[in-house]
Amino acid sequence: MRVLAPALVALGVATALAAVVAYVGGGSAGDAIRALVVGSVGSSSNVAATLLRATPLLLTGAAVMLAFKSGVFNIGAEGQFLVGALAATVVGTAPGPQFGRWLLALMAGALAGAIWAAIAAGFRIGRAVSEVITTILLNFVALYLVSYAVDGPLQEAARQYPQSDLLVDGAMLWRPIAGSRLHIGVALALIAAVLVGVLLSRTALGLRLRAAGSNAPAARLAGFPVLRDLTVAFALSGAIAGLAGAVEVTGVTGRLYERISPGYGYTAIAVALLGGLRSGGVIAAALFFAALSAGAGAMERSAGVSSVLVLAVQGATLLVIAMLNVSLLRRVGRGDASGSVER
Amino acid sequence: MLLETFLATGLVLATPILLAALGELLVERSGVLNIGVEGVMLSGAFAAALAAWGSHSTTAGVLAAALTGTALALLFALATVRLGADQIVVGAALNLVALGVTGALYRAALGASGTALVLPTLAPLDVPLLRHAPILGKALFGQNALVYLGLCLTPLLAVLLRHTGLGLRLRALGDHPQAAASLGLPVRRDRILMLAVGGALAGLGGAALTLAATNTFVEGITAGRGFIALAVVVFGRWSAWGALGGALLFGLASALQFQFQAAALAIPYQLFLMLPYVLTLAVLLLPSGGGSAPRALGTRYDRE
């Protein structure tokens, strides 16, 4: 029931908002909802589109879940995703041998994300500055970094559009089904989401991370290396979000451009919380939001309901969950009030 | 004359940030962190555009922006202060809702024609004599009402926060709400009040964007300016003068970017856009001399 209630709320909010806007826009609410469903799961290619959309949400959602469980208020999955995509593009477009290039690209993405998040860890530990502030700032730095890269050093050889060249073939992820855009990163994301859950609930590191997240002073008294664990939590969370960016480039887009993320890192917060900060929940929530945005395109075409409304649905869902489930986040990100860790 | 225009433009571009930042300053001083200020500002910008477009009156636009900002901030207050929901999550939710709803409504109501929306402009109110002072005359004395509002509020809030009982009380809420409550201060009521004022100011910041700085509305027009306001508060170490300094820095950097573009200098514009964020990070890197964050910032206050 704890899992089901937010999901029902989300569905209700989505339906109501779509209906209202269809009405305002002079269309029919029924048409809008029908289009939403058909567009997201109505055919095998629509299902594939939903799965492709779910992949970055799964990974960034898992990244946020790991952070929140560890007492780290990572609002920076967006920026970590972007630097991950940037690093993967650098590796994926470089000259040289192609063998195993995709693996290098994914690793570069994860590393870049980890470093980006570690900056915020440094601010929190060294300067007692809350990661809420620094990760938001770093999101924008990453956004303009990508924007600069695709307009400058990484711009395509043709110099026509603000985008990078296509990645070399060896850097692209395997697409096992002929004629489908589904890539192996979809499976990778599912596995990663499950692994994060296992890490948190079944390993010693996970126990320490959760202890630091739920009661840092007690964890310190227990002799846990809280500062080190905190840094690990930042870096791991950033690595997963960076991996998401790398998977998006190597699996779907094949190149980098400024708007490569329609806000995956922000939606990830809604995914993690709608999923109750558990693996199964995060997978379900990522699929739900992915279906919503895949269906939204169809809704816009056939019922005249703007696809941007998907954002409002995500936000409204998040708002309702935050109000219903006050205890879920009671202690996240609070070493003490300023976000620092007492020594 | 170039310098005069540059300064005046910089101030016009700084004003949306300044208003939102002064509002957020009050909110944060009371111990609440509203990262939804981006969404509140965007909603204010949209409300101002819609009202000014519908009524051909900038006054109506400004009022609509302040009211919308207040309403959204009260929603935030209901969720966080009243129901105890997490401030960061509710703030993030507010941003998503604002982006989605203003985008959809814009497409439904204003954007159908496909041409850019041209809005009425806030008229400049010249201060007699001073308006013709050299260099700063146009920047300081030939501006619209919202610029004056920001410039007058800054010293007011600075004095209020540092030298009045009211300011002391406000800082007590943010530093130690339990102690404030034990002295009989109504912690929740005052936080809600500050949120309402902050929301109105963020809404006005949105109006300053659509009715003065750009004279149009497009989806997501704030483009992170609310987050810059958030950064400016931190940059200014939670002081009103600091917020003015940060906002001016941003405004002048933006104005400089226009001048550079006009002069076709080969400095990537992205570096200018990145500047306020990088500078804020740099300031945070310094050991915190002087003001620092309110100690209870972002935490729930339970009565017990």
Side-chain angles (χ1 to χ4, degrees):
Chain A
M1 197 55 213
R2 274 199 310 163
V3 183
L4 212 57
L8 288 177
V9 168
L11 263 179
V13 168
T15 315
L17 266 179
V20 166
V21 172
Y23 182 76
V24 170
S28 130
D31 285 351
I33 290 158
R34 206 167 305 121
L36 186 65
V37 174
V38 172
S40 57
V41 291
S43 72
S44 64
S45 74
N46 290 353
V47 170
T50 296
L51 286 173
L52 288 175
R53 287 256 176 180
T55 302
L57 292 180
L58 258 175
L59 284 168
T60 50
V64 171
M65 164 178 145
L66 187 143
F68 282 15
K69 278 276 191 185
S70 314
V72 169
F73 233 123
N74 183 8
I75 311 293
E78 181 76 5
Q80 292 140 22
F81 177 99
L82 289 171
V83 294
L86 177 64
T89 307
V90 170
V91 171
T93 53
Q98 299 218 5
F99 179 76
R101 188 69 77 82
W102 62 272
L103 189 61
L104 281 179
L106 293 188
M107 282 161 56
L111 183 67
I115 292 172
W116 210 246
I119 299 174
F123 272 102
R124 172 156 159 188
I125 293 168
R127 286 282 176 267
V129 179
S130 163
E131 67 273 20
V132 173
I133 301 285
T134 50
T135 52
I136 288 176
L137 295 175
L138 286 166
N139 283 346
F140 283 93
V141 177
L143 178 65
Y144 295 125
L145 206 59
V146 167
S147 168
Y148 165 68
V150 296
D151 205 22
L154 277 184
Q155 195 185 9
E156 57 179 354
R159 300 263 160 210
Q160 192 173 5
Y161 299 106
Q163 58 183 21
S164 76
D165 274 319
L166 280 172
L167 269 54
V168 298
D169 288 342
M172 294 300 289
L173 294 180
W174 183 42
R175 294 181 178 179
I177 306 167
S180 166
R181 294 168 64 225
L182 283 179
H183 55 82
I184 199 68
V186 180
L188 186 72
L190 273 169
I191 295 168
V194 173
L195 280 184
V196 167
V198 172
L199 169 81
L200 284 170
S201 61
R202 300 257 188 276
T203 67
L205 175 65
L207 174 75
R208 294 207 308 271
L209 291 179
R210 282 184 292 127
S214 58
N215 196 340
R220 200 170 302 108
L221 276 179
F224 293 169
V226 174
L227 289 185
R228 201 189 66 197
D229 289 346
L230 198 64
T231 313
V232 169
F234 269 100
L236 264 181
S237 175
I240 300 166
L243 183 66
V247 166
E248 189 70 3
V249 168
T250 56
V252 179
T253 66
R255 62 165 104 232
L256 185 68
Y257 45 87
E258 187 180 336
R259 310 248 53 170
I260 192 163
S261 167
Y264 289 132
Y266 298 113
T267 305
I269 301 168
V271 167
L273 293 173
L274 179 61
L277 300 182
R278 282 187 300 265
S279 285
V282 164
I283 292 170
L287 286 171
F288 170 70
F289 282 132
L292 205 59
S293 62
M299 194 169 72
E300 180 160 298
R301 284 187 296 277
S302 73
V305 176
S306 292
S307 53
V308 281
L309 207 63
V310 170
L311 295 174
V313 173
Q314 290 169 1
T317 310
L318 195 54
L319 191 63
V320 172
I321 297 164
M323 291 199 275
L324 285 183
N325 205 347
V326 168
S327 62
L328 189 63
L329 271 175
R330 191 159 282 186
R331 290 199 198 85
V332 173
R334 309 280 187 260
D336 73 28
S338 62
S340 69
V341 182
E342 312 132 49
R343 262 150 277 197
Chain B
M1 285 313 96
L2 197 65
L3 181 64
E4 202 175 30
T5 311
F6 165 68
L7 291 174
T9 310
L11 207 57
V12 168
L13 294 174
T15 296
I17 315 265
L18 177 62
L19 290 173
L22 290 176
E24 181 70 14
L25 173 64
L26 285 176
V27 170
E28 292 194 17
R29 276 296 190 176
S30 79
V32 179
L33 181 58
N34 183 4
I35 69 167
V37 62
E38 169 82 10
V40 177
M41 200 177 175
L42 179 60
S43 306
F46 177 73
L50 191 64
W53 176 76
S55 69
H56 304 288
S57 150
T58 50
T59 312
V62 168
L63 282 177
L67 285 177
T68 307
T70 310
L72 266 185
L74 286 177
L75 178 68
F76 179 94
L78 170 74
T80 58
V81 181
R82 276 283 151 211
L83 301 176
D86 188 87
Q87 295 168 13
I88 309 300
V89 176
V90 175
L94 215 55
N95 288 336
L96 287 170
V97 170
L99 201 56
V101 171
T102 58
L105 288 178
Y106 168 71
R107 288 185 198 179
L110 301 176
S113 63
T115 54
L117 192 65
V118 179
L119 295 170
T121 314
L122 275 172
L125 305 170
D126 285 351
V127 179
L129 297 178
L130 289 172
R131 164 66 182 85
H132 299 288
I135 301 172
L136 283 173
K138 187 178 177 194
L140 291 180
F141 304 108
Q143 296 279 14
N144 66 66
L146 290 177
V147 175
Y148 294 137
L149 176 67
L151 288 178
C152 295
L153 265 180
T154 305
L156 263 175
L157 287 187
V159 170
L160 177 102
L161 282 171
R162 289 195 72 87
H163 302 293
T164 67
L166 212 61
L168 184 67
R169 177 169 153 175
L170 186 60
R171 282 183 288 143
L173 291 183
D175 281 332
H176 209 310
Q178 284 79 11
S182 72
L183 291 172
L185 295 182
V187 174
R188 292 181 173 197
R189 198 200 69 191
D190 285 0
R191 283 187 168 179
I192 292 171
L193 198 65
M194 286 306 119
L195 276 166
V197 175
L201 283 173
L204 288 175
L209 189 62
T210 44
L211 300 183
T214 64
N215 303 112
T216 188
F217 181 89
V218 293
E219 281 183 57
I221 190 172
T222 44
R225 283 183 181 80
F227 289 124
I228 293 182
L230 212 60
V232 155
V233 173
V234 183
F235 177 90
R237 296 279 183 199
W238 289 271
S239 83
W241 289 113
L244 176 65
L248 276 179
L249 191 70
F250 172 82
L252 292 176
S254 311
L256 199 61
Q257 181 205 327
F258 291 145
Q259 303 245 326
F260 275 32
Q261 271 173 352
L265 286 177
I267 298 179
Y269 71 93
Q270 293 94 345
L271 295 186
F272 279 99
L273 293 174
M274 206 188 277
L275 200 64
Y277 303 102
V278 174
L279 277 178
T280 304
L281 283 169
V283 166
L284 290 175
L285 211 53
L286 303 172
S288 56
S292 61
R295 276 191 285 281
L297 185 60
T299 54
R300 253 161 71 92
Y301 167 69
D302 294 309
R303 208 182 292 268
E304 59 279 352

